[in-house]
Amino acid sequence: MDTPRPSTTPVEVPPPKPPPPRPAPPPAFSPESLNGLNRDEVLALFGRPTSETRHAMGMTWRYRRGDCALSLVFYPEVDTEIERVLGYELERGKDAATCIRRLRDTGGRNGK
């Protein structure tokens, strides 16, 4: 006696899932994009500064990582009194975009 054979109906196999998308690279960062940031936004980018200097109307935060140094000058807005970056200064001879990217990538871990 023959044993019954299982049904040969084809089973649909779902297509494989595509791999998850790669994370987007960090956006290009220009030094000029620092102008107008408030202190919380700067802290989110670079972490705590290496040093702070209070002036009559504003404040300067200095960040240093190895031979890369950046000073950010904050002044309060007239209407809101929120301190925002009005200007920046890098050590002479440093490539601004590379220096800022280096400081940002270290997440505020200042020092050598």
Side-chain angles (χ1 to χ4, degrees), residues 55-66:
H55 307 286
M57 289 293 297
M59 176 179 286
T60 300
W61 284 4
R62 183 165 173 85
Y63 291 88
R64 177 176 286 283
R65 183 76 178 157

Side-chain angles (χ1 to χ4, degrees), residues 28-32 68 88 90 94-105:
F29 204 80
S30 70
E32 291 77 23
C68 178
Y88 67 91
L90 292 158
K94 303 298 175 205
D95 174 53
T98 301
C99 180
I100 289 173
R101 185 172 42 251
R102 182 176 181 189
L103 290 168
R104 184 188 64 190
D105 291 347

Side-chain angles (χ1 to χ4, degrees), residues 28-80:
F29 204 80
S30 70
E32 291 77 23
S33 65
L34 296 171
N35 290 323
L37 296 180
N38 65 38
R39 293 190 306 173
D40 289 337
E41 292 167 328
V42 171
L43 284 171
L45 278 174
F46 300 119
R48 300 289 319 158
T50 306
S51 66
E52 298 179 27
T53 305
R54 178 60 75 180
H55 307 286
M57 289 293 297
M59 176 179 286
T60 300
W61 284 4
R62 183 165 173 85
Y63 291 88
R64 177 176 286 283
R65 183 76 178 157
D67 62 350
C68 178
L70 169 69
S71 295
L72 298 175
V73 182
F74 293 87
Y75 283 99
E77 290 182 324
V78 175
D79 296 337
T80 65

